[in-house]
């Protein structure tokens, strides 16, 4: 049973969020943070206080990775298990934590002081292995660093005191207290060059909203999150939808393993992104903007809130922006650990305080989005590009890149190369050129666009990064010839299996079966028939899944079966066409 | 697949961890059963109560998945003696209802059924060596032996079973089945 005191404290939290049902995630996060778990009793109290059905609260609480019904430890250590972390020594780090604490992943130390968990990619692919402790990111972890962190946690240190900030970063970002490095390797004309706040917005207001949209259309700007939808068309459709209210959402939930460019944008150029949102708001006649920030980036929250406040005081946000009749404000909503929330309709559901399950489309968010109002959902990079287009004109933007893919692309390069980090490149560069830029040699394969993208071999290194050839949301992960490609594919497939929202069967069950099928191949018990079966099942999952997750999740398998078929053919048995993994002795062991 | 003219097709059927519902469904072909017996002869099947294989069979129809060591033995026998082996129904294909126990340790299952059960006079876990051993989970048939075809449904419609048998006897592939007969409920 729940104590009257706890009931009161929960009520206080709910009051802080004005009983808003859309703030359920924030309420749950606050409860999880304070008590380190969310029990069934607590859920009942939250439901009562917020006037929501218990199942609604339960549904939301059980959906997200960072909420737990069991105590998560006073310090919760989330070890990121992405493929790049595995390549950078994840096993040693897990071993170090487990042996320092005498527990295994998933358990807490006996006094509940420290809880050990794993999590999907946290957007630090250029500085792995990385971990989260109570929301704070620690990067480039070594086993000796693990000992220090464990000692610190055992002696009740504040998490922020455990952070070792690189010297050069201390001065630049007084509001940021982090180990994360930005690693900007190649600057370009759109993002990493001069930016003076307010100019673009002023120019947009002189142009008028219709002309702004016209410019964006003319520039050929397409969504930078990966799907590549024409931005001007999106804004125009939103403006054309009748409504009393419209919204602009910036999708800061980059969960695709290997991407981290939005993290760098939100660290280095948040004002440019916020101004881009305001500009979008002006064009589609919205008054409210939401930055949906993935929970893994919550360490940026204070940094961003301080900036928003400063922008308000400079009349770049809030009422009567730059002395005009236009008002627009931005608030931040945090996720709670779910890859699927990067999908725009799932993101909207999540921002409304629900389970992050994709909606049926149509209706698309531009006609029925946040609170069923017309909503523009854009990637931070898209908003930044839009701002630069207003500053420099659509023709200038068109002059960059290729005719069909205008402008620049931020690549998050990681893996086996000497200079991992952010590269601002013009569209149309070949893979070979980019590999030279980042100092990669002896390359076996490159994963373009993360696990949901394409894995290509050396034969295809003359292909180009552009919408018509190799389209990408930004991830560019390099694997050298020393890597075991199948274990990387295995890592990616497990990722999709774990991140499936579970709504539709092909994705929920299909990904489990694909992982099992791959494991059979990897154990040496696979046959050529099994390879055909994988192909068949993969295509079925792609064709019949409800949203982008399932429609792309078989890609790691299908794309390597295509580009690296010899790796599979080498390890399968060719003498038989069926091999059972069933073992009667071990199956009846417990009887 | 072809047999010499005049000879009937030999069909074996069995229910492993199933409920015999699929067998019932085959009987549901109604008067077509007279046509059926003209073209097939059952061997090792509850239909004519033959307990063991006395000859090699053309088609084996398996209902139910494997829940114990005897199911595995029978299924392996079917694979050995049948040219074409078909998983019939949800349980054979996915484990079905019995698979609800998957994920629960065998020890707990025994405890719940034979010790904690309120209607029991004496709690005693059966332990006769005549009894088959329970597997750690339900296995669908194709995880234990190679299966050549699948007829979904719970149970598969009589029309589906009838159509499938006719296709096989005509030497055609099950891929030709008309979708109107394929129902998953």
């Amino acid at each position: 049973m729940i104590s009257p005191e706890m009931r009161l404290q929960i009520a206080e939290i709910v009051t802080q969020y004005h009983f808003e049902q859309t703030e359920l995630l924030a309420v749950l996060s606050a409860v999880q943070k304070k008590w380190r778990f969310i029990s069934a009793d607590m859920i009942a109290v939250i439901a009562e206080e917020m006037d929501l059905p218990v199942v609604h609260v339960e549904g939301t609480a059980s959906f997200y990775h960072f909420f737990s019904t069991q105590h998560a430890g006073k310090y919760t250590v989330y070890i990121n298990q992405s493929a790049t972390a595995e390549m950078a020594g994840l096993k040693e780090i897990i071993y170090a934590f487990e042996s320092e604490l005498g527990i295994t992943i998933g358990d807490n130390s006996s006094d509940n002081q420290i809880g050990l968990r794993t999590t999907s990619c946290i957007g630090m692919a250029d500085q792995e292995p990385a971990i989260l402790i109570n929301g704070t990111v620690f990067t480039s972890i070594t086993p000796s660093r693990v000992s220090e962190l464990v000692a610190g946690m055992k002696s009740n240190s504040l998490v922020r005191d455990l952070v070792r900030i690189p010297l050069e970063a201390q001065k630049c970002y007084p509001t940021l207290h982090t180990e994360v490095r930005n690693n900007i390797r190649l600057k370009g004309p759109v993002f990493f060059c001069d930016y003076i706040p307010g100019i673009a917005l002023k120019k947009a207001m002189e142009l008028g909203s219709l002309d702004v949209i016209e410019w964006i259309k003319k520039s050929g700007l397409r969504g930078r999150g990966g799907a590549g939808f024409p931005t001007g068309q999106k804004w125009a459709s939103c403006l054309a939808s009748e409504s009393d209210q419209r919204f602009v959402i910036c999708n800061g939930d980059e969960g695709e393993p290997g991407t981290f460019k939005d993290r760098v944008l939100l660290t280095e150029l948040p004002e440019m992104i916020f101004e881009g949102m305001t500009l979008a708001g002006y064009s589609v006649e919205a008054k409210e903007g939401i930055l949906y920030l993935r929970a893994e980036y919550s360490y940026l929250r204070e940094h961003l809130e301080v900036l928003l406040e400063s922008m308000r005081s400079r009349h770049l946000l809030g009422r009567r922006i730059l002395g005009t009749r236009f008002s627009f404000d931005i608030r931040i909503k945090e996720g709670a650990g779910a890859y699927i929330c990067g999908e725009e309709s799932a993101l909207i559901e999540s921002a409304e305080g629900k389970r992050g399950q994709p909606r049926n489309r149509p209706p698309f968010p531009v006609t029925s989005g946040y609170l069923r109002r017309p909503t523009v959902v854009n990637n931070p990079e898209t908003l930044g590009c839009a701002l630069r287009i207003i500053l420099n004109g659509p023709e200038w933007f068109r002059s960059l890149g290729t005719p069909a893919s205008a402008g620049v692309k931020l690549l998050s390069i990681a893996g086996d190369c000497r200079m991992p980090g952010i590269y601002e490149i013009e569209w149309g560069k070949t893979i070979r050129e980019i590999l030279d830029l980042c100092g990669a040699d002896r390359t076996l394969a490159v994963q373009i666009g993360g696990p949901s993208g394409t894995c290509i071999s050396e034969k295809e290194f003359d292909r180009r990064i552009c919408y018509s050839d190799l389209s990408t949301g930004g991830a560019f992960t390099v694997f050298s010839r020393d890597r075991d490609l199948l274990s990387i594919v295995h890592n990616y497939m497990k990722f999709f299996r774990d991140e499936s929202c579970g709504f539709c069967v092909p994705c929920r069950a299909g990904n489990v079966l694909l992982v099992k099928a791959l494991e059979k191949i990897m154990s040496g018990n696979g046959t050529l028939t099994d390879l055909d079966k994988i192909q068949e099942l993969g295509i079925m999952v792609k064709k019949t899944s409800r949203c982008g997750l399932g429609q792309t999740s078989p890609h790691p398998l299908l794309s390597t079966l295509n580009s690296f078929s010899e790796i599979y053919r080498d390890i399968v048995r060719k003498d038989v066409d069926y091999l059972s993994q069933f073992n009667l002795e071990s199956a009846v062991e417990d009887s | 697949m072809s047999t010499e003219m005049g000879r009937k097709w030999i069909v074996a059927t069995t229910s492993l961890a199933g409920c015999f519902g699929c067998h019932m469904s085959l009987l549901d072909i109604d008067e077509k059963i007279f046509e059926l017996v003209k073209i097939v002869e059952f061997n090792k099947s509850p239909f004519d109560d033959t307990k063991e294989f006395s000859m090699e069979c053309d088609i084996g129809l398996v209902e139910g998945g494997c829940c114990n060591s005897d199911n595995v033995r029978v299924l392996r026998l079917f694979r050995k003696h049948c040219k074409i082996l078909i998983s019939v129904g949800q349980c054979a294909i996915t484990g079905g209802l019995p698979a609800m126990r998957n994920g629960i340790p065998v020890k707990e299952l025994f405890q719940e059924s034979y010790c904690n059960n309120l209607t029991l006079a004496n709690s005693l876990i059966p332990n006769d060596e005549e009894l088959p051993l329970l597997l750690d989970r339900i296995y669908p048939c194709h995880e234990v032996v190679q299966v050549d075809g699948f007829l979904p449904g719970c149970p598969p419609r009589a029309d589906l079973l009838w159509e499938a048998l006719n296709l096989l006897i005509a030497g055609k592939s099950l891929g030709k089945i008309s979708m109107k007969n394929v129902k998953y409920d």
Side-chain angles (χ1 to χ4, degrees):
Chain A
M1 267 313 284
I2 217 161
S3 70
E5 190 192 356
M6 191 193 259
R7 180 179 282 271
L8 212 65
Q9 285 169 328
I10 292 177
E12 254 169 49
I13 291 174
V14 173
T15 317
Q16 267 170 35
Y17 290 99
H18 312 289
F19 307 93
E20 281 283 350
Q21 300 184 345
T22 54
E23 294 296 337
L24 180 57
L25 247 72
V27 169
L28 289 169
S29 294
V31 170
Q32 171 80 34
K33 192 173 171 194
K34 189 172 168 74
W35 287 284
R36 317 308 297 163
F37 65 97
I38 308 173
S39 69
D41 291 339
M42 290 152 103
I43 285 174
V45 174
I46 295 170
E48 198 184 320
E49 293 293 333
M50 295 186 78
D51 198 18
L52 282 168
V54 175
V55 284
H56 180 113
V57 181
E58 211 171 54
T60 303
S62 61
F63 187 82
Y64 297 91
H65 189 57
F66 293 135
F67 298 146
S68 59
T69 48
Q70 301 297 316
H71 199 289
K74 185 181 164 198
Y75 297 89
T76 318
V77 180
Y78 278 104
I79 304 174
N80 150 43
Q81 52 180 357
S82 66
T84 41
E86 259 180 31
M87 289 156 64
L90 173 68
K91 262 200 193 120
E92 287 77 32
I93 301 306
I94 290 180
Y95 178 76
F97 268 112
E98 288 184 335
S99 50
E100 284 278 341
L101 293 166
I103 56 174
T104 53
I105 295 278
D107 290 339
N108 294 349
S109 57
S110 54
D111 52 355
N112 275 345
Q113 179 81 354
I114 303 172
L116 213 50
R117 308 282 186 273
T118 53
T119 192
S120 299
C121 184
I122 61 170
M124 302 291 156
D126 57 338
Q127 42 208 300
E128 303 279 17
I131 62 167
L132 285 167
I133 301 180
N134 290 0
T136 302
V137 183
F138 294 82
T139 65
S140 305
I141 300 290
T142 57
S144 66
R145 186 82 175 107
V146 170
S147 312
E148 281 173 26
L149 291 172
V150 169
M153 290 187 280
K154 279 185 176 164
S155 61
N156 279 319
S157 309
L158 288 174
V159 178
R160 66 181 279 131
D161 292 342
L162 299 173
V163 174
R164 258 204 229 139
I165 311 178
L167 266 181
E168 72 273 23
Q170 277 172 355
K171 291 192 194 95
C172 313
Y173 306 108
T175 49
L176 255 187
H177 191 86
T178 178
E179 289 188 357
V180 181
R181 281 158 285 129
N182 287 332
N183 295 333
I184 300 167
R185 306 285 185 182
L186 184 68
K187 299 189 172 189
V190 172
F191 291 98
F192 300 107
C193 62
D194 294 336
Y195 162 67
I196 302 162
I199 298 181
L201 197 54
K202 202 163 169 225
K203 194 167 168 191
M205 288 171 171
E206 285 162 13
L207 280 170
S209 73
L210 291 175
D211 275 355
V212 169
I213 293 177
E214 206 44 50
W215 277 34
I216 302 293
K217 276 186 178 167
K218 254 198 242 162
S219 73
L221 176 62
R222 294 171 66 173
R224 297 297 197 237
F229 190 82
T231 309
Q233 196 183 323
K234 190 184 264 186
W235 291 11
S237 312
C238 180
L239 182 62
S241 301
E242 289 276 331
S243 181
D244 54 337
Q245 228 182 346
R246 294 189 186 80
F247 294 96
V248 172
I249 296 183
C250 174
N251 182 345
D253 192 47
E254 60 172 352
E256 190 69 37
T259 351
F260 47 86
K261 52 143 187 116
D262 294 341
R263 184 244 301 159
V264 174
L265 281 182
L266 290 170
T267 311
E268 292 270 338
L269 295 164
E271 189 154 7
M272 185 174 179
I273 307 309
F274 288 146
E275 191 178 339
M277 282 176 78
T278 314
L279 198 149
Y282 174 75
S283 317
V284 304
E285 295 177 7
K287 289 191 175 58
E288 248 186 273
I290 296 168
L291 167 64
Y292 185 93
L293 189 67
R294 70 188 299 222
E296 290 82 348
Y297 293 169
S298 65
Y299 72 97
L300 294 171
R301 181 78 186 254
E302 192 196 339
H303 173 64
L304 297 170
E305 294 283 8
V306 169
L307 175 68
L308 287 175
E309 206 42 60
S310 134
M311 286 176 78
R312 281 180 203 117
S313 70
R314 286 178 283 137
H315 304 289
L316 290 169
L317 271 184
R319 293 179 66 80
R320 297 186 167 261
I321 289 175
L322 296 172
T324 64
R325 289 171 111 31
F326 172 58
S327 300
F328 186 82
D329 211 338
I330 297 172
R331 62 199 164 114
I332 300 174
K333 282 189 158 234
E334 264 178 53
Y339 166 71
I340 187 66
C341 291
E343 196 277 341
E344 59 177 3
S345 66
L347 180 148
I348 290 170
E349 287 283 297
S350 176
E352 290 179 358
K354 302 176 195 155
R355 290 167 73 85
Q357 281 170 339
R359 291 178 178 171
N360 284 334
R361 304 187 314 168
F364 292 94
V366 284
T367 53
S368 174
Y370 185 65
L371 305 179
R372 302 284 162 183
R373 301 296 197 286
T375 305
V376 160
V377 183
N378 275 143
N379 184 269
E381 191 184 340
T382 316
L383 292 163
C385 287
L387 179 133
R388 190 64 75 181
I389 289 163
I390 298 306
L391 280 176
N392 294 5
E395 293 78 18
W396 172 84
F397 193 76
R398 274 243 123 136
S399 72
L400 303 168
T402 71
S405 308
V408 300
K409 181 79 196 93
L410 292 179
L411 291 184
S412 314
I413 302 188
D416 295 315
C417 61
R418 285 190 299 282
M419 285 162 295
I422 295 294
Y423 291 72
E424 181 175 337
I425 60 146
E426 285 186 36
W427 287 100
K429 282 222 178 327
T430 64
I431 304 305
R432 208 177 294 282
E433 285 172 301
I434 297 165
L435 287 172
D436 284 343
L437 271 178
C438 68
D441 40 43
R442 301 187 61 254
T443 304
L444 171 73
V446 184
Q447 185 75 31
I448 314 278
S452 67
T454 320
C455 183
I456 60 166
S457 70
E458 201 172 352
K459 277 177 276 174
E460 301 166 279
F461 285 175
D462 289 317
R463 289 178 67 181
R464 291 172 192 280
I465 296 280
C466 60
Y467 288 109
S468 54
D469 189 1
L470 289 166
S471 170
T472 173
F476 187 103
T477 315
V478 187
F479 307 117
S480 83
R481 285 181 204 148
D482 307 323
R483 300 294 173 190
D484 170 15
L485 204 59
L486 289 191
S487 72
I488 292 161
V489 173
H490 188 221
N491 178 298
Y492 284 164
M493 291 311 299
K494 282 192 293 180
F495 167 78
F496 286 124
R497 178 195 64 192
D498 297 345
E499 292 295 338
S500 169
C501 85
F503 189 99
C504 67
V505 179
C507 176
R508 181 179 67 229
N511 285 311
V512 173
L513 294 176
L514 285 171
V515 170
K516 276 194 184 162
L518 175 62
E519 283 167 355
K520 187 178 177 197
I521 305 279
M522 290 171 80
S523 72
N525 289 321
T527 63
L528 287 168
T529 324
D530 287 329
L531 292 183
D532 294 342
K533 286 263 159 63
I534 289 180
Q535 194 97 26
E536 219 173 273
L537 178 61
I539 290 168
M540 193 270 279
V541 171
K542 260 174 75 84
K543 267 192 192 161
T544 53
S545 287
R546 187 160 168 264
C547 80
L549 196 155
Q551 286 159 13
T552 56
S553 66
H555 282 182
L557 270 168
L558 296 179
S559 129
T560 49
L561 269 170
N562 178 34
S563 304
F564 295 93
S565 59
E566 67 284 357
I567 297 185
Y568 291 91
R569 281 173 195 283
D570 282 351
I571 59 165
V572 296
R573 296 264 302 263
K574 284 146 214 107
D575 49 338
V576 285
D577 65 323
Y578 177 85
L579 251 183
S580 171
Q581 282 196 303
F582 177 75
N583 181 322
L584 186 59
E585 282 73 47
S586 70
V588 297
E589 215 164 49
D590 292 339
S591 277
Chain B
M1 193 69 51
S2 66
T3 49
E4 57 274 35
M5 293 284 285
R7 178 166 90 68
K8 281 185 180 178
W9 280 61
I10 317 289
V11 176
T13 75
T14 188
S15 177
L16 306 174
C19 67
F20 277 95
C22 301
H23 278 81
M24 291 301 156
S25 192
L26 183 60
L27 295 179
D28 255 354
I29 59 175
D30 300 334
E31 81 288 353
K32 290 194 280 287
I33 201 146
F34 296 114
E35 282 175 59
L36 183 70
V37 292
K38 277 186 207 154
I39 48 175
V40 310
E41 177 185 332
F42 288 101
N43 188 260
K44 168 66 189 158
S45 167
F47 287 132
D48 62 357
D49 206 21
T50 42
K51 305 274 196 268
E52 299 299 333
F53 282 101
S54 61
M55 58 177 96
E56 295 306 291
C57 297
D58 299 301
I59 301 170
L61 301 177
V62 181
E63 168 191 338
C66 292
C67 83
N68 63 34
S69 54
D70 188 59
N71 294 154
V72 174
R73 183 187 69 84
V74 173
L75 181 60
R76 285 177 173 162
L77 272 178
F78 262 70
R79 179 67 277 181
K80 201 172 147 198
H81 294 292
C82 302
K83 287 183 198 138
I84 308 171
L85 190 62
I86 309 287
S87 275
V88 180
Q90 198 62 15
C91 300
I93 297 172
T94 69
L97 204 64
M100 286 187 74
R101 79 159 163 101
N102 288 2
I104 304 170
V106 169
K107 213 180 242 173
E108 281 178 37
L109 292 168
F110 279 132
Q111 204 71 31
E112 185 64 28
S113 307
Y114 298 111
C115 304
N116 301 343
N117 192 329
L118 291 176
T119 58
L120 283 175
N122 305 308
S123 72
L124 177 73
I125 293 175
N127 189 23
D128 191 299
E129 55 186 43
E130 285 287 302
L131 291 171
L133 296 168
L134 214 58
L135 306 183
D136 56 342
R137 64 176 173 93
I138 305 286
Y139 291 80
C141 295
H142 63 272
E143 284 192 21
V144 179
V145 300
Q146 184 166 21
V147 171
D148 306 310
F150 302 88
L151 297 175
C154 185
R157 314 230 148 170
D159 290 343
L160 174 67
L161 296 170
W162 176 242
E163 191 187 354
L165 276 173
N166 279 299
L167 280 172
L168 290 173
I169 289 169
K172 291 183 184 150
S173 118
L174 290 182
K176 296 262 189 303
I177 283 177
S178 55
M179 287 314 284
K180 75 172 178 16
N181 285 334
V182 181
K183 299 280 189 288
Y184 291 86
D185 57 350

